[in-house]
Each structure stands twice: as structure tokens, then as C-alpha cells.
Amino acid sequence: MSEQQHPTATSSLTTWLSYLESIHTRAIDLGLERVAAVAEKAQLTKPAPTVITVAGTNGKGTTCALLESILQHAGYRTGVYSSPHLIHYSERVRINGERLDDAAHSEAFATIEQARGDTSLSFFEFGTLAALHLFKQHSLDVVILEVGLGGRLDATNVVEHDVSVITSLALDHCDWLGDDINQIGYEKAGIFRAGKPAVCGQPSPPASVAAHADSIGAELHQLGYQYQYTLTDNTWCWAAGAFELTALPIPAIPLQNAATALMALGVAELEIADTHISDGLASVSVPGRMQVVANAPYTVFDVAHNPHAAAYLAEKLAECKAERGGHVHAVVAMLSDKDMAGTLACLDGIVDHWYPASLSVPRGAPADSLPVPASQQFASPSEAYQQALKHAEPARDCVVVFGSFHTVGQVISALN
């Protein structure tokens, strides 16, 4: 049999990824029975003494990154599992802030391949179990897991975690989670654990979140009730009950997510000093999330792909436009199963020049299906980006690339 059919621990990561995409009939297959059986057999359900699991429509990646940043400044050995990746699969697993080499991933995949026997696993399930195996190998203090889709039936939910986090709640992935916000709240709250702390950073969440916490006896900490944050001119403050942190540095991520990360660390009962929090806030950065890549013209890459994320992007672009006094040039490419009309409508009146591009990936939308006023369409995001740079006035204009992880990833790859 060929290596393509049966890769080994010494096979290339490319070979493994191709194999993983071929062994399961469905790319997305929600449900825990199969993945839980393999996780228990391989003893992967508790990869570290403290595990924090982060769900949400938007803000998961930035919240995980800030948790990681603060914990590392506090001296903890950390592991982070996140998805999807922008360019390279190895971005999905970080150990103490660093990516692992391809060989480590291949060895982990080989371990899971042996452990699964004849149990079929999806690409994401296989990758999740491999990440848990890598974490166990490195004897970490804290593991941070980013939920892939939903929460209740996501592969990460097989883990015995200590703190559950919901960053935000909005309509997305409706084909899988439904188009009812209460149902989505229930799916996200499915990561809550009885007798364990749960943090919700969504202001006024659907009633299903608190109802589920009550029904299982989870300790819910809700933004606006158990914790708050306020922005001043150049700093911000965070408070939970009588405890308050003042004059905090403003991070390069949304404050709502930063405040939620601080609450999660508070209820995790880890030893963290105020200086560790300030240092973590000042140094956190997340590729593809309001990532400033140039100043002439001011250029931002953002993976915003739904109305909730696009509204935040529009707010930031409006600030940039007011400050610089120029035009906004927007490169956009999206997946066809996203709310393209609703997402792009959030930028009406903000974007002056559109550069719609086709996305040549499964489910990628052709440029002519994007509902934006544009005189030209482009075969790829990188081609559209080069055209936007040509037209942007360096001293005054802003350029944004957004619409999907694939969009940002393709432009970064072209630049590299």
C-alpha cells in the first residue's frame, strides 16, 4: 500500500494532511461519540492541570492569545490550540508561544492513527486529538483550547476543562448551528461544566446561556454583572466585584475580549501579578486580526467574515478614515456560505473603493457574486491587493484586506 494510504511517523506533514482529508466522509461531522472514545483510550481528556476552553462567534483567537500572553509573562508553561490557520498547519498548535516543527505533528498524527483503530475521525477531530497528545508530551501548566464550531458537539468538548469561556454570540455557521440565537447560545454554552466557572463576554446574551448554566450548576460570570470594563483616554479599567485594575495598557485586540480573558484568569485561580497582566496586554498580537502591516498607506489585514466582526472592522476603519482624512480601499473575498450581503453592508459608507476577488478554495465565492459597487473584479485576493496599493494615496488612505482566513492567508503568502 502507498504512503498516501498509510502514512507513518516519518512521513511529511503534507502527506499526513492529505491523508486526513481523505479518510472521513464529511469535512464537518459534529458529535462526540467517536472522538471521545479515542480521547479516552489515549488518555487525552486532561492534557494539563488547568484547561481553559474558549467558544464564541468571534473573538476566540484574540482571547486565547491574550490568555497565553499573560500566562507566559507569569511564568506558566502554556499550550494553545486554535483554528483555522492562515498559511501553515503548524500555526494551530503553540507550545510556550512557539510553533512546533512538521516532524512533531507527523509523529502526533501517527500516534492518533494507532490509537483510533477502526474509528473514523474528521480532519478537525484528528487534529484536535493530535494537539492534545502534543500538550501531554510537554508537561504544561495551562492548556487553552479554541472551539472549532459551536461548542456542545465540538471535538474540544471531550476535554475535562476547568474554565469555560464564551467570547461573543451572533448568527454564523447557520447551516450547522441553526439561525436562532437562543439555539446558538445553547450550543456555545454546551462547554459549561457543573460546579465550574463559566465566563460570558457577550453583553445581553440570549437567555439560553444563563438557563443552561443554572440547569447544570455552572458558576456564570457575565459581562456587565460580575465584571465590567471602562475605557479612558489612553488606558482602561477592569473590575470584578470590589477588585479593580486601573490604568491598563490598551491592547491590539478588542477590549471586550481582553476583559473576558481577565475574568477567565481570575476564576482560574492562578497566581498572576498586576505587572504580568500589563505586560501581557502590551505585547499581545494576533496575525490576521486587525493586523497593521504598513503605514504608507495604512494597511490592515482582518479575517472578519460575518456581520458581527464586520461591524467592529467598520468602526476601526471609520476611526482611521477620520484620523488620516483619506479614502478606504477594501480588498474582499469570501466563502459562498457566509452572509455576504449582511457582512458587506456593515461597511456601507465607510469603504470608498472596492476590490472584490474570487476565492479559489472549496466553497469560495466568485468575485462577481460579492454585492459591492466595483468597476473591476479580480481573480485572486493578492491581485486585488496589488491593485489597491497602486490606487491608494500613501499619506492619507487606508487599505484593508478582509472576508475570510483564506483571503488574508493568500495575501500574506503572496507577500512572503
Side-chain angles (χ1 to χ4, degrees):
M1 293 195 176
S2 70
E3 185 187 58
Q4 174 66 22
Q5 291 173 298
H6 292 286
T8 68
T10 57
S11 298
S12 70
L13 180 55
T14 301
T15 298
W16 267 108
L17 295 178
S18 178
Y19 172 71
L20 299 188
E21 289 174 341
S22 69
I23 60 173
H24 195 69
T25 55
R26 302 173 68 183
I28 299 173
D29 194 359
L30 296 178
L32 299 183
E33 185 177 343
R34 291 171 296 98
V35 68
V38 181
E40 289 163 11
K41 179 181 177 182
Q43 299 182 321
L44 299 176
T45 58
K46 190 63 173 175
T50 300
V51 180
I52 303 172
T53 297
V54 181
T57 305
N58 296 301
K60 298 188 295 288
T62 53
T63 302
C64 290
L66 181 56
L67 290 169
E68 176 189 37
S69 180
I70 294 172
L71 287 166
Q72 286 203 275
H73 279 95
Y76 288 98
R77 291 176 53 79
T78 62
V80 178
Y81 175 56
S82 64
S83 63
H85 57 274
L86 283 173
I87 301 170
H88 196 277
Y89 183 88
S90 62
E91 298 168 31
R92 295 184 179 222
V93 178
R94 294 193 297 276
I95 305 288
N96 295 319
E98 300 294 330
R99 289 158 54 178
L100 302 173
D101 60 26
D102 288 2
H105 289 279
S106 292
E107 289 169 8
F109 287 145
T111 299
I112 301 306
E113 174 73 348
Q114 183 176 11
R116 79 179 179 91
D118 59 0
T119 301
S120 183
L121 296 172
S122 71
F123 183 97
F124 183 76
E125 290 166 343
F126 213 113
T128 300
L129 294 172
L132 298 176
H133 171 72
L134 290 166
F135 294 149
K136 280 198 72 174
Q137 280 189 316
H138 285 82
S139 301
L140 304 174
D141 301 312
V142 185
V143 159
I144 303 158
L145 301 175
E146 178 185 335
V147 169
L149 178 63
R152 182 176 64 92
L153 300 176
D154 188 79
T156 56
N157 206 27
V158 302
V159 173
E160 299 169 18
H161 51 264
D162 304 278
V163 179
S164 309
V165 179
I166 296 176
T167 57
S168 65
L169 286 159
L171 296 178
D172 196 16
H173 300 294
C174 295
D175 290 349
W176 297 97
L177 303 179
D179 57 4
D180 176 77
I181 194 66
N182 266 293
Q183 178 62 27
I184 288 176
Y186 173 74
E187 293 295 332
K188 308 285 189 195
I191 65 170
F192 292 175
R193 294 292 189 263
K196 300 277 188 174
V199 180
C200 182
Q202 173 66 44
S204 304
S208 54
V209 173
H212 185 65
D214 288 343
S215 70
I216 66 168
E219 303 166 5
L220 184 60
H221 300 264
Q222 173 66 51
L223 176 63
Y225 292 90
Q226 284 75 24
Y227 71 104
Q228 297 86 22
Y229 70 95
T230 54
L231 176 65
T232 56
D233 287 338
N234 298 306
T235 63
W236 65 293
C237 303
W238 180 91
F243 183 76
E244 188 175 24
L245 294 168
T246 60
L248 294 169
I250 296 175
I253 67 171
L255 283 187
Q256 179 181 322
N257 301 338
T260 298
L262 295 190
M263 189 71 249
L265 291 174
V267 297
E269 298 182 349
L270 299 167
E271 293 294 326
I272 300 172
D274 292 0
T275 54
H276 301 144
I277 292 172
S278 292
D279 291 344
L281 284 164
S283 60
V284 68
S285 64
V286 189
R289 275 75 158 194
M290 288 304 300
Q291 179 185 1
V292 179
V293 298
N295 281 302
Y298 185 84
T299 305
V300 172
F301 292 172
D302 193 82
V303 297
H305 55 266
N306 55 45
H308 185 269
Y312 179 79
L313 175 61
E315 179 185 325
K316 293 300 174 183
L317 290 175
E319 292 173 5
C320 171
K321 192 172 182 177
E323 182 179 331
R324 295 175 70 93
H327 290 169
V328 172
H329 301 255
V331 173
V332 61
M334 297 185 69
L335 297 178
S336 59
D337 55 0
K338 296 298 179 184
D339 180 4
M340 294 189 290
T343 300
L344 298 173
C346 293
L347 292 127
D348 283 349
I350 303 295
V351 173
D352 301 284
H353 306 285
W354 287 97
Y355 303 79
S358 296
L359 207 49
S360 55
V361 298
R363 307 180 355 253
D368 60 10
S369 69
L370 297 170
V372 294
S375 57
Q376 188 176 359
Q377 291 152 355
F378 301 87
S380 69
S382 55
E383 183 184 318
Y385 177 62
Q386 292 303 321
Q387 194 69 14
L389 290 182
K390 285 181 184 177
H391 287 123
E393 201 279 299
R396 300 174 69 245
D397 287 357
C398 307
V399 174
V400 60
V401 176
F402 80 103
S404 170
F405 278 84
H406 299 288
T407 309
V408 173
Q410 287 184 20
V411 172
I412 292 176
S413 293
L415 292 176
N416 290 342

